[in-house]
Amino acid sequence: MRYTKQTKAHPRHMSTDKITLRTPDVLLDPNLEFSTEEPPIRELVLTRKRCIDSSIVDSFLKLLRNGSDDILRQKLSSYSQAQDNGRANSSKKTSCEQYLKKELYPNWQTRDQIISFCEGQSEQLKHELDAGTSKSIRSNVIPEIDPRLDPYSARRIIYDREAAYKDWKRLNSWIENNKKVESILRNSSAKTLKQNCDQNADYMAQFFSFINKTT
């Protein structure tokens, strides 16, 4: 099961300079324990800069993953106990459906929005860099500079371009890494859901149906 970019679900995020995302109120159950060194980030204003310098985004994604896939069995148990203590099969099915719609699928969707937004910013950045390089070649943007007046100007222009391309490569690497993480987590969660809910259900297909209905 591979991570699939759902551009149809998030077209509005690809044309903006920033998006604001919040963690759901039900994300952190006070009865569940998490190992954390810092207070959780409950709201994220995502920009290109934060995609490139991703420490805050990484913390936000970690919070989302810790509160969903990483404690999936505990969450299912909690929902099951709320439905007649999980004694009836119908109650078990209902509790699974409630958890998927209220927590897990919205959580996955938010993570998709983050990755899709940063991927869109990566594509825009590459286009801007390529266009700028092409324009520079055609018009000789780098001027002839008297080294006695400013010996570092030409070198600084070249350095800035190289740094921008490094940012783009780092962002691409971050995107691919997080796609792999999502694929692994969702594959594992789908197996857990089959074991605890409905072994015949296609939970990824249900997720795609969910995001198409909510956008």
Side-chain angles (χ1 to χ4, degrees), residues 6 31 53 97 116-117 133 162:
Q6 295 296 311
N31 295 318
D53 300 320
E97 290 176 349
S116 293
F117 176 85
T133 299
E162 291 177 346

Side-chain angles (χ1 to χ4, degrees), residues 163-198:
Y165 271 104
K166 287 181 180 178
D167 285 344
W168 172 74
K169 290 179 180 179
R170 185 169 72 251
L171 176 54
N172 264 0
S173 177
W174 181 90
I175 291 166
E176 291 305 314
N177 179 64
N178 276 278
K179 285 183 178 181
K180 291 177 182 177
V181 170
E182 290 299 321
S183 180
I184 292 170
L185 287 174
R186 296 180 194 190
N187 186 45
S188 176
S189 291
K191 290 180 180 179
T192 300
L193 289 167
K194 283 180 176 290
Q195 293 169 357
N196 291 270
C197 297
D198 183 354

Side-chain angles (χ1 to χ4, degrees), residues 35 50 53 109-110 128 138-139 161 168-169 171 189:
S35 58
R50 283 188 169 172
D53 300 320
Q109 185 178 27
T110 298
E128 292 165 8
R138 292 196 306 269
S139 59
R161 285 183 188 162
W168 172 74
K169 290 179 180 179
L171 176 54
S189 291

Side-chain angles (χ1 to χ4, degrees), residues 24-66:
D25 293 334
V26 294
L27 178 65
L28 296 181
D29 187 329
N31 295 318
L32 299 174
E33 296 183 358
F34 298 89
S35 58
T36 179
E37 300 81 16
E38 300 177 354
I41 301 171
R42 303 310 299 264
E43 180 176 286
L44 172 68
V45 178
L46 188 57
T47 62
R48 177 183 294 184
K49 182 177 180 180
R50 283 188 169 172
C51 288
I52 295 172
D53 300 320
S54 62
S55 59
I56 293 177
V57 182
D58 290 336
S59 295
F60 193 78
L61 284 171
K62 181 179 180 181
L63 175 64
L64 291 172
R65 291 163 178 162
N66 283 350

Side-chain angles (χ1 to χ4, degrees), residues 4-209:
T4 303
K5 177 184 174 184
Q6 295 296 311
T7 53
K8 181 179 180 182
H10 319 298
R12 65 186 182 280
H13 298 124
M14 306 308 292
S15 60
T16 60
D17 294 328
K18 66 179 180 180
I19 57 174
T20 301
L21 301 163
R22 292 184 58 85
T23 58
D25 293 334
V26 294
L27 178 65
L28 296 181
D29 187 329
N31 295 318
L32 299 174
E33 296 183 358
F34 298 89
S35 58
T36 179
E37 300 81 16
E38 300 177 354
I41 301 171
R42 303 310 299 264
E43 180 176 286
L44 172 68
V45 178
L46 188 57
T47 62
R48 177 183 294 184
K49 182 177 180 180
R50 283 188 169 172
C51 288
I52 295 172
D53 300 320
S54 62
S55 59
I56 293 177
V57 182
D58 290 336
S59 295
F60 193 78
L61 284 171
K62 181 179 180 181
L63 175 64
L64 291 172
R65 291 163 178 162
N66 283 350
S68 56
D69 300 85
D70 290 352
I71 55 169
L72 181 55
R73 293 183 187 276
Q74 293 166 272
K75 283 287 189 175
L76 290 174
S77 177
S78 177
Y79 270 78
S80 181
Q81 290 174 7
Q83 288 284 333
D84 297 329
N85 294 321
R87 286 192 294 268
N89 289 334
S90 59
S91 295
K92 183 177 181 180
K93 181 179 180 180
T94 300
S95 65
C96 288
E97 290 176 349
Q98 286 184 343
Y99 173 64
L100 292 173
K101 293 179 180 179
K102 290 183 178 180
E103 293 198 44
L104 187 62
Y105 288 164
N107 191 302
W108 285 3
Q109 185 178 27
T110 298
R111 282 142 56 181
D112 277 357
Q113 289 173 335
I114 292 172
I115 296 172
S116 293
F117 176 85
C118 289
E119 190 166 18
Q121 291 300 311
S122 173
E123 293 168 357
Q124 291 178 21
L125 177 58
K126 183 62 162 60
H127 176 75
E128 292 165 8
L129 291 171
D130 289 346
T133 299
S134 177
K135 181 179 179 181
S136 297
I137 293 173
R138 292 196 306 269
S139 59
N140 293 321
V141 167
I142 299 178
E144 293 185 5
I145 300 172
D146 188 337
R148 294 170 299 179
L149 300 177
D150 191 350
Y152 301 108
S153 290
R155 186 183 303 173
R156 186 166 56 248
I157 292 172
I158 295 173
Y159 174 82
D160 288 344
R161 285 183 188 162
E162 291 177 346
Y165 271 104
K166 287 181 180 178
D167 285 344
W168 172 74
K169 290 179 180 179
R170 185 169 72 251
L171 176 54
N172 264 0
S173 177
W174 181 90
I175 291 166
E176 291 305 314
N177 179 64
N178 276 278
K179 285 183 178 181
K180 291 177 182 177
V181 170
E182 290 299 321
S183 180
I184 292 170
L185 287 174
R186 296 180 194 190
N187 186 45
S188 176
S189 291
K191 290 180 180 179
T192 300
L193 289 167
K194 283 180 176 290
Q195 293 169 357
N196 291 270
C197 297
D198 183 354
Q199 63 180 355
N200 297 315
D202 185 338
Y203 290 103
M204 289 307 302
Q206 288 183 16
F207 170 59
F208 297 148
S209 177

